[in-house]
Each structure stands twice: as C-alpha cells, then as structure tokens.
C-alpha cells in the first residue's frame, strides 16, 4: 500500500512539473529508504552511496569492501555501469587533451601519465576469483597473477591511449608495481594491445616503503625536470593523482575494489 501511494505521489509530482504550475523540489528524507529512491533493496542503496564515497575520497583509507556490498561491487564491475563510467571519464579526458593541445598548453613535450592496474589493465579476472575486494589484498596471489601477464585492457583506456598518441602526446606509464615485474608488465601491456609508450616507470628498491603519493609525485617531478609538460594524468586511485607536481588535469577512474594510500 505504501509503495502504491509513493508511486501515485511521484506520478502527481510529474504531472505538476509538466504542467509547470510550480517548481517541484524532491524532498531529501531524514532516513532514506530503498523504496523512496526507487532502488529495490537497502544494500543496493547503501552500496551505491558507499561507492560514491570511495570515488570522492570521502571514505578515506579502507581495507576491504563492506561485506554487504560484495554482490553490489561484483554487479558494478561485471555490468554496464563500470564500462560506462570509464568511457565517460575517457571521453572527458580526450576532450580536454585536444583543447589543451590546440591552445598550445603542452609546449614542445606534452605528456600524459597513465597508471597501469585498473587504469590501462583490468585485473577483473583476478578479482572475480578472489572476492571482488571482500578479502584483504593478498600480495602472493596477486603477484602470481601479474606474472601470468594476461590481464585484458580496460577498453576505454586503450581507446584513449591510442587517441592521445594520435594527437602527439608522450605517453608515460607510472605504476606502483615493482621493477622486478617489468618484464611481465611489458608483456601484459603488449598482450592487451598497448604499444610505443615513452617510458614505463616502476618502483625501484629505493622506493620501497614510500607511499604511492610520495613515489608518484617524485616521478612526476623528474618528468617535469626532463622537460615534459604533464597535461593529463589518469588513475583509479587518488594516490595516482594527488601530490605535487600534479598534472594540469587529473582523471579519476572508478575502482570500488581496493584502496591504495
Ligand atoms: C594468499 O594467497 C596464497 C597463494 O594463493 C595463499 O597460499 C595464501 O593462503 C593466501 N593468504 C591469505 C591470507 O589468504
Ligand atoms: C627480462 O627479460 C630480459 C630479456 O628480454 C632478460 O634478460 C631479463 O633477465 C628478464 N628479467 C627478469 C627479471 O625476468
């Protein structure tokens, strides 16, 4: 009965809006229920909000996906939404890139920095068999997966990568993977369809113990010292993007499966 009333109320609101009699403001309820937001269950509602919190960095450091969100993260990653969110971010990236180059912002050496995992490459096949982030990160099993070197490309990133190369960008890959994983990483990038990157930068022994923010910031500073103008940076973690120097524009790709500080 309550549901029917809500539907009727919503229909009435639409009629009012269409008639233009008065502006219709959607009420924000104190205790949003799944039904009031048109979502079929409370977990889906909570987990959608949790995911937004993760993407906006409101969530801060976290170690595992909340237990009630396992199914939701899986559905997101396997469904159209992840592909769509990634593709829209890639389209925004390309629009900025073309405009920035056209206005001469890139100088002689315009560069674009890409992270690798969950940015150029998708580890979804690994996470599909290890709980979609419900379990804590297992370095042993993840490293074994890296050595297999068969992670597919994130399709929208491969497209953007090729488009940026076509525009004349220097493409620099900056990953938290270890220098010991260089061969496997190169093999995997080629397997996934990536070619002709300018540099692939991995963590050296001297980088062990640094946060991703510190390590990646230091490497971006080195790029600038070499004369690159970093117009864009694409990564699935805020730690790929923040810290000085930053790119002119940073593009955050979705990742509800894990957090790296
Ligand atoms: C991590 O993965 C390895 C290899 O698959 C496995 O032997 C080990 O038990 C895992 N560790 C944890 C804490 O799950
Ligand atoms: C990487 O591959 C090169 C040859 O392409 C080889 O000489 C080197 O030993 C390999 N490194 C590792 C860590 O496997």
């Amino acid at each position: 009965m309550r549901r029917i009333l809500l539907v009727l109320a919503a229909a009435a609101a639409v009629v009012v809006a269409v008639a233009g009699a008065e502006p219709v403001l959607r009420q924000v309820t104190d205790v949003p229920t799944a039904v009031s937001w048109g979502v079929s269950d409370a977990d889906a509602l909570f987990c959608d909000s949790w995911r937004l919190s993760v993407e906006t960095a409101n969530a801060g450091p976290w170690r595992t996906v909340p237990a009630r969100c396992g199914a939701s993260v899986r559905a997101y990653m396997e469904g159209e939404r992840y592909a769509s969110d990634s593709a829209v971010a890639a389209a925004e990236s390309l629009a900025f890139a073309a405009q920035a180059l056209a206005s001469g912002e890139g100088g002689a050496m315009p560069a674009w920095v890409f992270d690798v995992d969950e940015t150029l490459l998708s580890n979804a096949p690994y996470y599909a068999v290890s709980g979609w982030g419900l379990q804590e990160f297992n370095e042993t099993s993840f490293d074994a997966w890296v050595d297999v070197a068969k992670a597919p490309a994130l399709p929208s990133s491969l497209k953007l990568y090729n488009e940026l190369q076509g525009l004349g960008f220097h493409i620099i890959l900056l990953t938290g993977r270890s220098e010991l994983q260089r061969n496997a990483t190169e093999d995997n990038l080629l397997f996934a369809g990536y070619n002709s990157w300018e540099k692939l930068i991995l963590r050296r022994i001297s980088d062990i113990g640094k946060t991703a923010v510190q390590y990646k910031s230091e490497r971006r500073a080195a790029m600038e010292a070499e004369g690159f103008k970093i117009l864009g940076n694409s990564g699935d973690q805020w730690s790929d993007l923040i810290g000085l120097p930053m790119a002119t524009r940073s593009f955050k790709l979705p990742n509800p499966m894990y957090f790296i500080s």
Side-chain angles (χ1 to χ4, degrees):
M1 188 59 189
R2 179 145 182 268
R3 194 172 196 139
I4 290 169
L5 286 176
L6 278 168
V7 169
L8 288 176
V14 168
V15 169
V16 170
V18 169
E22 56 185 278
V24 177
L25 294 177
R26 289 192 106 209
Q27 282 201 344
V28 179
T29 58
D30 288 345
V31 185
T33 64
V35 170
S36 71
W37 288 90
V39 178
S40 60
D41 70 79
D43 283 349
L45 174 68
F46 168 78
C47 296
D48 208 35
S49 299
W50 174 79
R51 200 163 46 72
L52 180 65
S53 197
V54 163
E55 297 303 351
T56 53
N58 287 341
W62 52 278
R63 296 179 71 85
T64 58
V65 169
R68 65 192 286 202
C69 296
S72 176
V73 168
R74 176 186 174 175
Y76 175 80
M77 292 300 299
E78 289 183 333
E80 292 177 333
R81 186 63 193 274
Y82 177 53
S84 172
D85 287 355
S86 305
V88 169
E92 307 281 17
S93 305
L94 182 64
F96 161 71
Q99 167 268 312
L101 271 200
S103 64
E105 273 184 69
M109 291 167 72
W112 200 281
V113 175
F114 280 101
D115 168 54
V116 172
D117 293 298
E118 268 55 68
T119 299
L120 294 184
L121 299 179
S122 169
N123 297 303
Y126 168 81
Y127 286 99
V129 296
S130 63
W132 296 107
L134 285 177
Q135 295 159 21
E136 285 203 19
F137 181 67
N138 183 328
E139 195 168 350
T140 309
S141 64
F142 187 75
D143 286 355
W145 158 253
V146 166
D147 284 342
V148 173
K150 290 285 188 284
L154 187 59
S156 52
S157 291
L158 179 56
K159 184 164 170 284
L160 174 64
Y161 181 102
N162 289 328
E163 288 164 338
L164 293 174
Q165 273 185 336
L167 287 174
F169 276 85
H170 297 265
I171 306 285
I172 301 175
L173 314 188
L174 176 54
T175 172
R177 290 185 178 194
S178 149
E179 192 63 54
L180 297 173
Q181 295 167 314
R182 177 176 290 277
N183 284 2
T185 302
E186 287 177 352
D187 286 352
N188 198 153
L189 288 164
L190 294 169
F191 165 81
Y194 295 98
N195 287 289
S196 312
W197 51 85
E198 177 108 15
K199 290 170 188 290
L200 167 61
I201 302 171
L202 303 101
R203 273 184 193 255
R204 301 176 197 146
I205 295 192
S206 57
D207 296 315
I208 292 173
K210 291 178 185 169
T211 62
V213 172
Q214 183 187 354
Y215 155 68
K216 293 197 167 185
S217 300
E218 287 174 4
R219 289 299 186 279
R220 285 194 301 277
M223 291 169 209
E224 292 204 340
E226 288 174 55
F228 292 105
K229 172 68 182 173
I230 308 171
L231 287 180
N233 186 3
S234 302
D236 64 291
Q237 301 287 325
W238 281 104
S239 57
D240 296 327
L241 309 174
I242 62 173
L244 299 177
M246 278 177 75
T248 304
R249 291 253 334 248
S250 298
F251 294 87
K252 171 72 172 70
L253 298 187
N255 183 356
M257 300 184 297
Y258 59 85
F259 171 88
I260 298 173
S261 61

